[in-house]
Structure formats: C-alpha cells, structure tokens
Amino acid sequence: MKKILFAILSIFSLSAAAQVDVTFQVDMNDVTGFTTPEVNGIFNAWCGNCAPMSDADGDGVWDLTISLAPGTYEYKYSFDNWTGQETLVPGSSCTMTTGIYTNRVLNVSVAD
C-alpha cells in the first residue's frame, strides 16, 4: 500500500512541477462600459466569469496569472461574463479560426 501511495504522490508531484505560470494582460484604456475583464479559454471551459482580471495599479492594464500545463491553448478576452468580447480577425497573427470563432492561441512550454 505504501508503494502505491508513493507512486500516486510522485505522479501528482511531476504533474504539479510541469505547470507554468502564465500572466495574461489586456489594455482596457480604450474600452468603456465594462466592470471586470476576464480571460476565457479551453483551460477554463470558456466559463465567462471564472477568471476575472484585476488592475491593482489603476493604469487600465488588467492582468491575471494562471498556472497551465505545457500545451497549446485557445483563449479570448471578454468582460462581465461575456457581455462583451474582443473581436479578432481570421488569419491574424497568433490566432486560430474554427468555424465562426477566431481565438488567440498560446503555446506553453517548460524551459530546459
């Protein structure tokens, strides 16, 4: 039993160690009529208000740090639980279009 528990804890430790802190930032200085920006993506099931951002220094640039495992992620900035969202142009740099949706793409890797 101890060997099995150790093996499970070792796997969990390896998974946790592979996480990378990613800081998302969005400049909201030219946007009016919002309360809270959010970052939504496949990492949080596009949940709306699950990842609210903050602007601690009041400069209009909102941020949030999320720990992610290495991989490729689609995401988008929105505000107030999808009341509004950024509009991205298909074919733009660092985006992916699937059907009618164009989202940002982020590749997370662990430095050697």
Side-chain angles (χ1 to χ4, degrees), residues 59-72:
D59 66 352
V61 177
W62 295 68
D63 57 49
L64 176 68
T65 300
I66 300 173
S67 294
L68 298 173
T72 300

Side-chain angles (χ1 to χ4, degrees), residues 26-109:
V26 62
D27 186 337
M28 298 294 284
N29 281 300
D30 294 330
V31 181
T32 59
F34 72 92
T35 303
T36 306
E38 300 111 5
V39 61
N40 294 290
I42 58 176
F43 47 80
N44 63 9
W46 304 96
C47 72
N49 59 1
C50 293
M53 303 176 84
S54 63
D55 182 13
D57 61 7
D59 66 352
V61 177
W62 295 68
D63 57 49
L64 176 68
T65 300
I66 300 173
S67 294
L68 298 173
T72 300
Y73 297 91
E74 288 185 58
Y75 71 100
K76 182 177 273 191
Y77 296 107
S78 65
F79 58 84
D80 302 333
N81 199 16
W82 289 107
T83 298
Q85 62 182 290
E86 66 180 326
T87 302
L88 300 168
V89 177
S92 298
S93 176
C94 300
T95 64
M96 175 185 287
T97 301
T98 305
I100 62 171
Y101 301 105
T102 300
N103 301 310
R104 295 176 182 268
V105 177
L106 171 68
N107 294 307
V108 176
S109 62

